[in-house]
Amino acid sequence: MKLITLTVPHVGSTLVANINTGMLEPGKNIFFHKINKIPTFLESKRLTLKSHGTIDEIADVVKRFESELVYFVAVNREGHPQINHISDKLIILDYNRLLYHSEHLKGSAQSLEDVIDYVALEYNRKISGELFNNALKSRALDRVKGMDERYSEIKEKPFSYFDKHYHIHGSHRGRKLKNKEKKID
């Protein structure tokens, strides 16, 4: 079984991809491919992938590959294009349920553990066998904590600075706000 995080940009796909990679492929770099390269991923030995596309492209890919042993994970966020349930192979997460209290997001009441429990519960609802157990959730928790620590190290670096293990950039969070502030000055 493979998991593809397939979203429009700016909806928490990096977090979801790190949760997925942490659960299924701990220690590996995030595997990112353009949406048109998904057939190459399906032939690979990797279990997790992150990709972006438009809602129409996402719907096309889900329908095209729903007979494969693959599940697609999308995230719906208010103010962004949203996908509807079009396949039993599509797991749709709610962006607001992915927000957790951290050094970088102090306003959320949810813990990282709550977020990982939510993701695992949604996966277990769609994928038979209760695969996403406490051991996998623990690996995901470790991975996301590592991602947060790494982000703390690079957050002051320019957006062009890239960490391929976690698939994060310097100045990654809040980049739209920072760009608007720069235009005002």
Side-chain angles (χ1 to χ4, degrees):
M1 188 231 11
K2 296 180 181 236
L3 279 176
I4 298 176
T5 305
L6 186 55
T7 70
V8 297
H10 311 295
V11 297
S13 60
T14 301
L15 172 63
V16 174
N18 274 285
I19 290 171
N20 294 345
T21 303
M23 284 194 284
L24 299 178
E25 299 183 296
K28 294 209 176 194
N29 293 344
I30 295 294
F31 189 29
F32 182 88
H33 251 326
K34 292 184 178 182
I35 196 165
N36 63 342
K37 300 287 187 179
I38 287 178
T40 305
F41 163 72
L42 293 173
E43 294 173 3
S44 77
K45 293 184 180 189
R46 290 295 306 262
L47 300 176
T48 60
L49 172 73
K50 175 184 173 187
S51 189
H52 290 304
T54 66
I55 291 298
D56 289 340
E57 290 171 328
I58 292 168
D60 180 58
V61 166
V62 170
K63 289 178 182 176
R64 186 170 156 208
F65 296 107
E66 69 183 337
S67 65
E68 302 287 332
L69 191 52
V70 62
Y71 287 85
F72 299 91
V73 183
V75 179
N76 280 342
R77 179 180 183 181
E78 190 174 317
H80 290 71
Q82 297 190 8
I83 192 159
N84 297 315
H85 289 279
I86 56 171
S87 169
D88 289 339
K89 295 286 191 91
L90 177 63
I91 302 164
I92 301 174
L93 301 174
D94 176 0
Y95 174 81
N96 289 323
R97 300 279 312 265
L98 298 175
L99 302 175
Y100 60 94
H101 186 85
S102 71
E103 173 188 336
H104 310 292
L105 183 63
K106 299 193 186 310
S108 179
Q110 294 185 116
S111 69
L112 177 55
E113 292 85 353
D114 293 337
V115 169
I116 292 172
D117 284 343
Y118 162 67
V119 171
L121 177 66
E122 292 302 311
Y123 289 1
N124 283 330
R125 285 183 184 175
K126 287 278 188 172
I127 304 169
S128 64
E130 295 288 319
L131 298 174
F132 299 94
N133 58 29
N134 287 337
L136 294 186
K137 291 191 295 186
S138 178
R139 292 184 347 195
L141 182 66
D142 290 345
R143 171 84 181 207
V144 176
K145 285 180 179 178
M147 178 188 74
D148 283 347
E149 288 172 13
R150 182 66 177 136
Y151 182 70
S152 290
E153 296 169 5
I154 69 170
K155 68 183 178 184
E156 300 301 324
K157 294 187 181 293
F159 186 75
S160 59
Y161 184 87
F162 179 70
D163 180 292
K164 68 180 183 177
H165 182 70
Y166 296 109
H167 209 263
I168 57 176
H169 297 267
S171 303
H172 192 96
R173 296 178 176 145
R175 62 190 171 275
K176 283 188 169 186
L177 178 61
K178 287 179 185 175
N179 288 339
K180 285 180 183 177
E181 289 171 354
K182 286 179 185 173
K183 289 179 184 174
I184 292 170
D185 290 339

PDB file of all heavy atoms in Angstrom, residues 137-149:
ATOM      1  N   LYS A 137       2.052   5.777  14.847  1.00  0.00           N
ATOM      2  CA  LYS A 137       1.795   7.143  15.309  1.00  0.00           C
ATOM      3  C   LYS A 137       3.013   7.691  16.055  1.00  0.00           C
ATOM      4  O   LYS A 137       3.349   8.869  15.911  1.00  0.00           O
ATOM      5  CB  LYS A 137       0.545   7.190  16.180  1.00  0.00           C
ATOM      6  CG  LYS A 137      -0.737   6.943  15.380  1.00  0.00           C
ATOM      7  CD  LYS A 137      -2.003   7.239  16.144  1.00  0.00           C
ATOM      8  CE  LYS A 137      -2.240   6.346  17.306  1.00  0.00           C
ATOM      9  NZ  LYS A 137      -3.546   6.558  17.956  1.00  0.00           N
ATOM     10  N   SER A 138       3.680   6.863  16.827  1.00  0.00           N
ATOM     11  CA  SER A 138       4.876   7.290  17.551  1.00  0.00           C
ATOM     12  C   SER A 138       5.987   7.692  16.582  1.00  0.00           C
ATOM     13  O   SER A 138       6.686   8.691  16.792  1.00  0.00           O
ATOM     14  CB  SER A 138       5.349   6.173  18.484  1.00  0.00           C
ATOM     15  OG  SER A 138       6.518   6.551  19.145  1.00  0.00           O
ATOM     16  N   ARG A 139       6.143   6.936  15.512  1.00  0.00           N
ATOM     17  CA  ARG A 139       7.149   7.278  14.499  1.00  0.00           C
ATOM     18  C   ARG A 139       6.806   8.602  13.829  1.00  0.00           C
ATOM     19  O   ARG A 139       7.689   9.429  13.571  1.00  0.00           O
ATOM     20  CB  ARG A 139       7.269   6.159  13.464  1.00  0.00           C
ATOM     21  CG  ARG A 139       7.869   4.922  14.062  1.00  0.00           C
ATOM     22  CD  ARG A 139       8.148   3.751  13.192  1.00  0.00           C
ATOM     23  NE  ARG A 139       7.620   3.652  11.860  1.00  0.00           N
ATOM     24  CZ  ARG A 139       7.594   2.527  11.173  1.00  0.00           C
ATOM     25  NH1 ARG A 139       8.053   1.399  11.723  1.00  0.00           N
ATOM     26  NH2 ARG A 139       7.124   2.500   9.951  1.00  0.00           N
ATOM     27  N   ALA A 140       5.519   8.826  13.549  1.00  0.00           N
ATOM     28  CA  ALA A 140       5.091  10.090  12.947  1.00  0.00           C
ATOM     29  C   ALA A 140       5.352  11.253  13.901  1.00  0.00           C
ATOM     30  O   ALA A 140       5.814  12.318  13.485  1.00  0.00           O
ATOM     31  CB  ALA A 140       3.614  10.025  12.568  1.00  0.00           C
ATOM     32  N   LEU A 141       5.063  11.045  15.172  1.00  0.00           N
ATOM     33  CA  LEU A 141       5.299  12.083  16.180  1.00  0.00           C
ATOM     34  C   LEU A 141       6.773  12.463  16.226  1.00  0.00           C
ATOM     35  O   LEU A 141       7.119  13.651  16.213  1.00  0.00           O
ATOM     36  CB  LEU A 141       4.824  11.581  17.548  1.00  0.00           C
ATOM     37  CG  LEU A 141       4.946  12.544  18.711  1.00  0.00           C
ATOM     38  CD1 LEU A 141       4.031  13.741  18.532  1.00  0.00           C
ATOM     39  CD2 LEU A 141       4.608  11.823  20.012  1.00  0.00           C
ATOM     40  N   ASP A 142       7.646  11.479  16.238  1.00  0.00           N
ATOM     41  CA  ASP A 142       9.088  11.748  16.244  1.00  0.00           C
ATOM     42  C   ASP A 142       9.503  12.525  15.000  1.00  0.00           C
ATOM     43  O   ASP A 142      10.304  13.461  15.067  1.00  0.00           O
ATOM     44  CB  ASP A 142       9.881  10.447  16.333  1.00  0.00           C
ATOM     45  CG  ASP A 142       9.762   9.759  17.684  1.00  0.00           C
ATOM     46  OD1 ASP A 142       9.312  10.403  18.662  1.00  0.00           O
ATOM     47  OD2 ASP A 142      10.111   8.561  17.756  1.00  0.00           O
ATOM     48  N   ARG A 143       8.953  12.140  13.871  1.00  0.00           N
ATOM     49  CA  ARG A 143       9.304  12.790  12.607  1.00  0.00           C
ATOM     50  C   ARG A 143       8.880  14.261  12.615  1.00  0.00           C
ATOM     51  O   ARG A 143       9.659  15.140  12.239  1.00  0.00           O
ATOM     52  CB  ARG A 143       8.616  12.051  11.445  1.00  0.00           C
ATOM     53  CG  ARG A 143       8.702  12.711  10.097  1.00  0.00           C
ATOM     54  CD  ARG A 143       9.974  12.398   9.402  1.00  0.00           C
ATOM     55  NE  ARG A 143      10.063  13.059   8.114  1.00  0.00           N
ATOM     56  CZ  ARG A 143      10.764  12.580   7.123  1.00  0.00           C
ATOM     57  NH1 ARG A 143      11.418  11.456   7.241  1.00  0.00           N
ATOM     58  NH2 ARG A 143      10.847  13.249   6.008  1.00  0.00           N
ATOM     59  N   VAL A 144       7.665  14.536  13.041  1.00  0.00           N
ATOM     60  CA  VAL A 144       7.181  15.920  13.021  1.00  0.00           C
ATOM     61  C   VAL A 144       7.913  16.763  14.064  1.00  0.00           C
ATOM     62  O   VAL A 144       8.218  17.927  13.813  1.00  0.00           O
ATOM     63  CB  VAL A 144       5.652  15.982  13.176  1.00  0.00           C
ATOM     64  CG1 VAL A 144       5.165  17.421  13.264  1.00  0.00           C
ATOM     65  CG2 VAL A 144       4.974  15.269  12.014  1.00  0.00           C
ATOM     66  N   LYS A 145       8.228  16.186  15.200  1.00  0.00           N
ATOM     67  CA  LYS A 145       9.041  16.926  16.183  1.00  0.00           C
ATOM     68  C   LYS A 145      10.394  17.280  15.590  1.00  0.00           C
ATOM     69  O   LYS A 145      10.900  18.388  15.773  1.00  0.00           O
ATOM     70  CB  LYS A 145       9.213  16.106  17.459  1.00  0.00           C
ATOM     71  CG  LYS A 145       7.978  16.075  18.334  1.00  0.00           C
ATOM     72  CD  LYS A 145       8.217  15.238  19.574  1.00  0.00           C
ATOM     73  CE  LYS A 145       7.010  15.204  20.484  1.00  0.00           C
ATOM     74  NZ  LYS A 145       7.235  14.361  21.670  1.00  0.00           N
ATOM     75  N   GLY A 146      10.990  16.342  14.856  1.00  0.00           N
ATOM     76  CA  GLY A 146      12.260  16.620  14.182  1.00  0.00           C
ATOM     77  C   GLY A 146      12.111  17.709  13.135  1.00  0.00           C
ATOM     78  O   GLY A 146      12.988  18.569  12.987  1.00  0.00           O
ATOM     79  N   MET A 147      10.995  17.695  12.402  1.00  0.00           N
ATOM     80  CA  MET A 147      10.730  18.729  11.405  1.00  0.00           C
ATOM     81  C   MET A 147      10.615  20.098  12.080  1.00  0.00           C
ATOM     82  O   MET A 147      11.189  21.087  11.608  1.00  0.00           O
ATOM     83  CB  MET A 147       9.448  18.411  10.643  1.00  0.00           C
ATOM     84  CG  MET A 147       9.070  19.458   9.607  1.00  0.00           C
ATOM     85  SD  MET A 147       7.442  19.208   8.875  1.00  0.00           S
ATOM     86  CE  MET A 147       6.375  19.732  10.222  1.00  0.00           C
ATOM     87  N   ASP A 148       9.896  20.160  13.199  1.00  0.00           N
ATOM     88  CA  ASP A 148       9.753  21.428  13.916  1.00  0.00           C
ATOM     89  C   ASP A 148      11.098  21.938  14.436  1.00  0.00           C
ATOM     90  O   ASP A 148      11.386  23.136  14.361  1.00  0.00           O
ATOM     91  CB  ASP A 148       8.759  21.287  15.068  1.00  0.00           C
ATOM     92  CG  ASP A 148       7.315  21.276  14.608  1.00  0.00           C
ATOM     93  OD1 ASP A 148       7.039  21.620  13.438  1.00  0.00           O
ATOM     94  OD2 ASP A 148       6.442  20.925  15.434  1.00  0.00           O
ATOM     95  N   GLU A 149      11.917  21.036  14.950  1.00  0.00           N
ATOM     96  CA  GLU A 149      13.250  21.429  15.424  1.00  0.00           C
ATOM     97  C   GLU A 149      14.087  21.967  14.265  1.00  0.00           C
ATOM     98  O   GLU A 149      14.775  22.987  14.396  1.00  0.00           O
ATOM     99  CB  GLU A 149      13.955  20.245  16.081  1.00  0.00           C
ATOM    100  CG  GLU A 149      13.383  19.864  17.427  1.00  0.00           C
ATOM    101  CD  GLU A 149      13.974  18.563  17.972  1.00  0.00           C
ATOM    102  OE1 GLU A 149      14.988  18.066  17.442  1.00  0.00           O
ATOM    103  OE2 GLU A 149      13.395  18.038  18.951  1.00  0.00           O
TER     104      GLU A 149
END
